[in-house]
Amino acid sequence: MSRSRPTRAAASAPTATAEDWMRAQGWSPLAFQRETWAAIQAGRSGLVHATTGAGKTYAVWLGLLQRHAPAFFAADGPRLLWITPLRALASDTAAALQAPLPALAPGWRLGVRTGDTPDAERAAQQRRWPKALVTTPESLSLLIARADAPALLAGVAAVVVDEWHELLPSKRGVQVQLALARLRGWQPKLQVWGLSATLAHLDEAAAALLGPACAPGAALVRAGQPKPLVIDTLLPARLERFPWAGHLGGSMVPAVVAEIGACRSALLFTNTRSQTEWWYQALLSARPDWAGQIALHHGSLDPQVRRWVEQGLKDGTLRAVVCTSSLDLGVDFAPVERVLQIGSPKGVARLLQRAGRSGHGPGQASRVTLVPTHALELVEAAAARDAVQAGRIEPRTPLRAPLDVLVQHLVTVALGGGFRPEALLAEVRSTHAYADLSDEDWRWCLDFVRHGGPSLQAYPEYRRVQPDEAGVWRVPDGRQARRHRLNIGTIVADAQLEVRFLQGARLGVVEEGFAARLRPGDRFLFAGRTLELVRLRDLTVWVRDARGQQPRVPRWQGGRMALSTTLADAVLARLATAARGEADGPELAALQPLLALQARWSHLPTPERLLVEVLHDREGCHLFLYPFAGRDVHLGLAGWLAWRAAQAQPRTFSMAVNDYGLTLLSAQPVDWAAELPRWLQPPDLDTLTAELLASLNATELAQRRFREIARVAGLVVQAHPGERRSPRQLQASAALFWDVLARHDPDNRLLHQARAEVLAQELEVQRLHATLLRMARQSWQVQPLRRPTPLAFPLLVERLRERVSSETLSARLQRLVAQLERAADAPASRRRRAAASGAAA
């Protein structure tokens, strides 16, 4: 195929160097910025790792402008691409990149091309493409899917991937790797730079970004001077010795209000959208005079609402914004002085990312204040500070060979000028994700896009790509082409319904599962308002303003974050110091009564000691086990342990988990002290995998995961040209495909991928296996109990939550806490008599 080759053309001479421009802004270039400029000038690719607000954006951008602006290709296409992970970041990023253009690249235009770009702007770009373009992974894939992509993108000289740590462990990161490989095929000297603030293994991150061939020559630039960071904790006025998840939340509102009132501007991060809605209402109830000065921000709100909030932060007109991870990344809100983290961040990297939203500028200090919603989160707060000071951050592991992403990419490339299989295979294998792709998997992917595999080859709609007379694989059907372009991407949204006022104004989206439980007249909190459901029709939740009755708070899927291994290890280290009688720091000093009672009634777990507690009461035999491996691992461990116990003798267990441990309850007696070492003996990984699948409803988990894979691979499409499909239609289609493939094509690679992803990502079988090996090395402390300990009580509450309503649970918890507090406060002589009586019994 002939291709127009770009030719060099003279460019307007820059009026300044990068250093001149920085000094004109009142800044002095930092050492790592100069290092980055030198590497870029030498033609190298690389990765810049610096704390948020340290100046890494200009380290790369100014260097690229100096190298590529003086003499650029006169091709009708962009010269520099900047990839951002979120559409919401694009406009803010573009404003920062635009500032040095008049001095360093006179005559250059910078554009934004994302899913939010208006049609008129897209049309204007096609008439005259900007030389610098801010885009997202999905929009870049759409550019590659254009019929004129080889000519349009041949002039791209450099690509910057912002917030690489966010993309790295996801399918979107794999999508970026494939796109970069395609661009490198058109421009072999392509420079690629990644930016990140929270990476543990820079070599692996650079290898994933650049591919095996380019990674050895990568420049890894680290900012020398870490940004000043203050991590403190807002201590509650009173701590319960028998805590449960969320029990402190409401009592912390006055203290949070006081902290907000003492600063110019603050961000309050929560871990879930539901918490964001609740805290916004709580702050507004405490300070009604702040109406208009506080706002909320999360991913389910309408984009116009989110943009209004972001602008208010930039302008300094908002006193506080309650938000989720929707404001974690990349946005420069210079007026923000404080960050408050509601609840534990559950990970060190997440804490650092959020802390960097304050003091966002070179040399400015960041401050994050942890607000516990659970007494034991005080230990997590102290542990997180320890991990930050020690430089321990969670590793981000890149994905390997997800075939659903590769299948989508094959159709994309077939649209973008077509491909020859041999050449494209070499290109795909140049990426980190597919470096070890087997010939069998490659042939399966080709067969799948050509006619849908053995079970679907009779249906024309699955013959998406065909070789032409010259052996070039293309998409011959125009409707297939339009459908694919509408569904490009690896972000698989949960089934969501729009929320609109009767007058038509859009507020955002809620999940279908929540909306389905509502009845006309029900009230719920959303977008900072109390709304009343009028009707549910045409995939829309029609509402009006409402006041009076107690509203519900929407629940979104994936709300609970699991404690990371890095933070869990730091928590155990802190508990070990407490076990030695040391209460270093304000958090442990405040928690001393709880920890002392735990030690008196049982023991404190440590890295060397595995704590096992056993309690017999009227309900049966309780096991409390504390591996400190995170909620997800404990869920798999509880099911697997119950399954192993039931193999020895038929038993029925109820179970509950949290981030610290798990509990199993059996109505029949179980000699846990004698049997547990045998049941927890770690098998090899393959045996553990098989037993884990046998112990859980793995088929249901895999079917749910398959729905996402089917969408990415193009089996199930979210949008047809001129047609909108309901979430239930999508779910039904995925279920039908699962049944057909399982029956007629059981070796289908996508079925295998669904099961593998469940094991790796939902059940975390590798981490579970490592946890079992660690437990086998620990000394075991099996402690009989007369009553629940402070560590056992939260697990008991988790189990009760599944059985009783919130009103009944609240009353029951009050009685239980009162009984336990009386026992804890009993005089020592009475405790000795009770202990002696228990021993005699």
Side-chain angles (χ1 to χ4, degrees):
M1 180 185 66
S2 63
R3 182 185 304 165
S4 60
R5 295 189 60 83
T7 56
R8 290 188 178 276
S12 300
T15 60
T17 65
E19 185 163 340
D20 293 337
W21 183 82
M22 288 194 73
R23 294 193 184 281
Q25 316 310 309
W27 304 331
S28 295
L30 301 174
F32 86 92
Q33 292 173 324
R34 295 180 187 275
E35 182 184 352
T36 305
W37 298 344
I40 290 173
Q41 195 62 36
R44 299 174 69 189
S45 297
L47 181 68
V48 175
H49 189 265
T51 54
T52 301
K56 56 184 177 293
T57 296
Y58 285 140
V60 170
W61 185 240
L62 299 183
L64 291 176
L65 291 179
Q66 283 192 129
R67 175 172 171 80
H68 297 290
F72 58 87
F73 284 102
D76 183 21
R79 182 70 167 148
L80 302 181
L81 297 180
W82 189 284
I83 301 175
T84 177
L86 294 178
R87 289 182 294 180
L89 303 180
S91 59
D92 190 78
T93 300
L97 303 185
Q98 175 64 41
L101 289 187
L104 299 182
W108 276 35
R109 286 188 310 111
L110 182 139
V112 174
R113 194 175 182 91
T114 72
D116 291 338
T117 303
D119 290 340
E121 174 62 19
R122 290 171 182 270
Q125 289 176 357
Q126 291 190 188
R127 289 192 296 271
R128 183 188 171 209
W129 283 95
K131 289 300 174 188
L133 191 65
V134 179
T135 189
T136 60
E138 293 73 26
S139 291
L140 176 55
S141 291
L142 276 168
L143 289 176
I144 292 173
R146 292 170 58 101
D148 63 347
L152 174 68
L153 300 175
V156 174
V159 180
V160 180
V161 184
D162 204 353
E163 309 286 0
W164 178 232
H165 59 275
E166 179 71 15
L167 294 168
L168 174 64
S170 70
K171 290 182 180 179
R172 298 181 79 208
V174 175
Q175 185 181 8
V176 169
Q177 293 180 47
L178 289 169
L180 293 175
R182 178 101 290 226
L183 293 175
R184 194 174 286 113
W186 295 326
Q187 176 58 267
K189 295 183 179 180
L190 180 76
Q191 284 187 288
V192 176
W193 281 83
L195 305 181
S196 181
T198 53
L199 281 172
H201 301 147
L202 264 62
D203 290 338
E204 183 179 43
L209 178 67
L210 303 176
C214 300
L220 301 181
V221 181
R222 299 170 175 85
Q225 182 64 36
K227 185 179 180 180
L229 173 62
V230 177
I231 302 174
D232 55 15
T233 306
L234 197 57
L235 300 177
R238 178 177 178 272
L239 273 179
E240 300 281 354
R241 286 182 290 186
F242 298 94
W244 64 91
H247 74 103
L248 280 177
S251 67
M252 299 299 293
V253 171
V256 170
V257 168
E259 294 295 315
I260 294 172
C263 68
R264 180 178 54 170
S265 179
L267 289 177
L268 278 73
F269 279 103
T270 71
N271 291 340
T272 70
R273 286 168 280 185
S274 302
Q275 282 184 314
T276 300
E277 295 279 351
W278 188 92
W279 271 90
Y280 173 77
Q281 290 293 333
L283 295 178
L284 204 55
S285 296
R287 290 294 301 266
D289 56 309
W290 283 357
Q293 300 178 52
I294 61 175
L296 74 166
H297 190 289
H298 59 70
S300 290
L301 297 178
D302 186 78
Q304 289 186 345
V305 175
R306 298 200 302 268
R307 284 193 288 269
W308 176 83
V309 174
E310 292 160 15
Q311 192 59 48
L313 280 170
K314 295 173 191 175
D315 297 341
T317 57
L318 288 175
R319 180 184 294 272
V321 173
V322 190
C323 57
T324 61
S325 56
S326 58
L327 289 183
D328 268 7
L329 302 176
V331 184
D332 184 1
F333 300 127
V336 173
E337 291 182 355
R338 295 279 302 279
V339 166
L340 289 91
Q341 166 65 44
I342 306 296
S344 168
K346 299 299 178 184
V348 181
R350 185 177 298 110
L351 176 65
L352 287 172
Q353 188 71 35
R354 293 178 173 182
R357 298 301 101 206
S358 65
H360 200 290
Q364 296 183 23
S366 295
R367 181 183 176 188
V368 59
T369 299
L370 297 160
V371 181
T373 61
H374 182 309
L376 292 170
E377 285 180 343
L378 289 172
V379 184
E380 292 184 48
R385 187 169 58 244
D386 295 342
V388 169
Q389 291 173 350
R392 293 192 295 271
I393 304 175
E394 295 85 4
R396 312 284 181 107
T397 303
L399 296 184
R400 287 287 190 174
L403 295 187
D404 55 341
V405 183
L406 180 55
V407 163
Q408 184 184 109
H409 184 68
L410 291 180
V411 183
T412 297
V413 174
L415 284 170
F419 66 86
R420 296 181 184 275
E422 300 80 6
L424 185 58
L425 175 58
E427 182 178 298
V428 167
R429 282 178 173 164
S430 72
T431 67
H432 182 272
Y434 299 100
D436 300 319
L437 181 71
S438 68
D439 290 340
E440 293 78 11
D441 282 346
W442 173 250
R443 285 193 294 268
W444 183 89
C445 290
L446 289 176
D447 181 69
F448 189 75
V449 299
R450 187 172 184 180
H451 52 65
S455 58
L456 300 174
Q457 56 186 340
Y459 301 94
E461 59 265 38
Y462 302 110
R463 301 172 195 165
R464 292 180 281 175
V465 180
Q466 300 292 321
D468 62 15
E469 298 82 358
V472 178
W473 289 47
R474 305 181 189 275
V475 178
D477 183 80
R479 181 175 172 81
Q480 290 272 22
R482 290 191 297 274
R483 186 175 76 170
H484 180 78
R485 289 190 177 102
L486 283 172
N487 291 277
I488 279 180
T490 61
I491 300 175
V492 182
D494 297 314
Q496 294 181 328
L497 305 182
E498 284 191 331
V499 181
R500 286 185 178 273
F501 282 123
L502 290 175
Q503 297 85 353
R506 185 180 186 273
L507 292 172
V509 294
V510 294
E511 286 188 355
E512 184 187 29
F514 173 78
R517 294 193 297 270
L518 296 174
R519 296 292 177 266
D522 285 355
R523 289 164 166 78
F524 63 99
L525 290 179
F526 184 70
R529 303 168 181 261
T530 301
L531 305 173
E532 178 185 328
L533 174 66
V534 178
R535 60 178 177 269
L536 181 59
R537 186 179 301 165
D538 300 329
L539 303 179
T540 303
V541 181
W542 296 97
V543 299
R544 58 181 166 224
D545 272 321
R547 291 176 178 81
Q549 297 181 14
Q550 182 69 24
R552 301 186 189 186
V553 179
R555 298 288 175 183
W556 284 270
Q557 293 293 331
R560 287 183 167 179
M561 298 175 177
L563 193 69
S564 73
T565 299
T566 301
L567 188 51
D569 290 345
V571 168
L572 276 175
R574 270 288 178 166
L575 291 176
T577 64
R580 295 193 298 267
E582 304 170 14
D584 182 27
E587 296 89 357
L588 272 294
L591 203 59
Q592 186 58 30
L594 184 154
L595 298 176
L597 183 61
Q598 173 68 32
R600 174 152 57 93
W601 282 5
S602 176
H603 295 273
L604 287 170
T606 70
E608 295 76 29
R609 177 170 60 210
L610 176 67
L611 178 61
V612 181
E613 297 177 337
V614 179
L615 172 66
H616 296 272
D617 62 13
R618 289 176 297 177
E619 288 189 301
C621 180
H622 299 260
L623 168 73
F624 300 98
L625 179 67
Y626 305 98
F628 279 78
R631 177 184 302 276
D632 294 343
V633 170
H634 293 158
L635 183 60
L637 178 58
W640 175 75
L641 176 57
W643 179 83
R644 276 202 158 188
Q647 301 307 297
Q649 178 182 336
R651 297 179 176 92
T652 300
F653 292 94
S654 61
M655 64 183 69
V657 303
N658 62 18
D659 278 320
Y660 302 155
L662 61 93
T663 179
L664 294 179
L665 168 63
S666 172
Q668 302 165 279
V670 181
D671 189 352
W672 289 110
E675 301 289 358
L676 201 58
R678 178 168 60 89
W679 290 336
L680 285 179
Q681 185 67 30
D684 61 70
L685 184 58
D686 290 340
T687 302
L688 176 63
T689 299
E691 292 184 352
L692 192 60
L693 290 172
S695 68
L696 298 168
N697 188 358
T699 299
E700 172 58 31
L701 293 174
Q703 280 184 295
R704 188 177 65 201
R705 177 67 64 162
F706 177 77
R707 288 199 293 265
E708 302 176 3
I709 290 171
R711 292 190 203 178
V712 174
L715 275 180
V716 176
V717 295
Q718 293 174 287
H720 284 276
E723 177 189 348
R724 183 182 181 190
R725 306 189 70 196
S726 75
R728 289 182 179 176
Q729 286 175 312
L730 296 174
Q731 292 172 3
S733 297
L736 179 62
F737 276 114
W738 172 276
D739 293 338
V740 169
L741 296 177
R743 188 179 302 115
H744 301 291
D745 187 14
D747 289 329
N748 187 284
R749 299 297 203 274
L750 300 184
L751 297 182
H752 293 319
Q753 182 181 335
R755 298 184 183 105
E757 287 187 8
V758 165
L759 285 167
Q761 298 173 29
E762 295 192 39
L763 301 179
E764 295 195 69
V765 65
Q766 292 276 2
R767 189 177 173 193
L768 173 54
H769 191 243
T771 299
L772 289 171
L773 294 174
R774 174 172 57 82
M775 291 164 62
R777 295 192 297 267
Q778 292 176 296
S779 63
W780 289 34
Q781 182 72 51
V782 181
Q783 179 65 41
L785 301 179
R786 299 184 66 246
R787 57 184 66 86
T789 63
L791 283 181
F793 189 73
L795 285 166
L796 185 65
V797 174
E798 289 292 331
R799 189 174 61 80
L800 290 176
R801 285 186 200 274
E802 304 298 323
R803 299 171 51 197
V804 296
S805 68
S806 58
E807 294 82 4
T808 306
L809 176 63
S810 178
R812 185 168 181 180
L813 290 181
Q814 289 178 6
R815 292 195 301 271
L816 282 173
V817 170
Q819 293 169 6
L820 291 171
E821 288 288 356
R822 285 195 297 271
D825 291 334
S829 58
R830 192 176 358 146
R831 290 201 303 269
R832 286 193 295 270
R833 287 196 300 272
S837 174

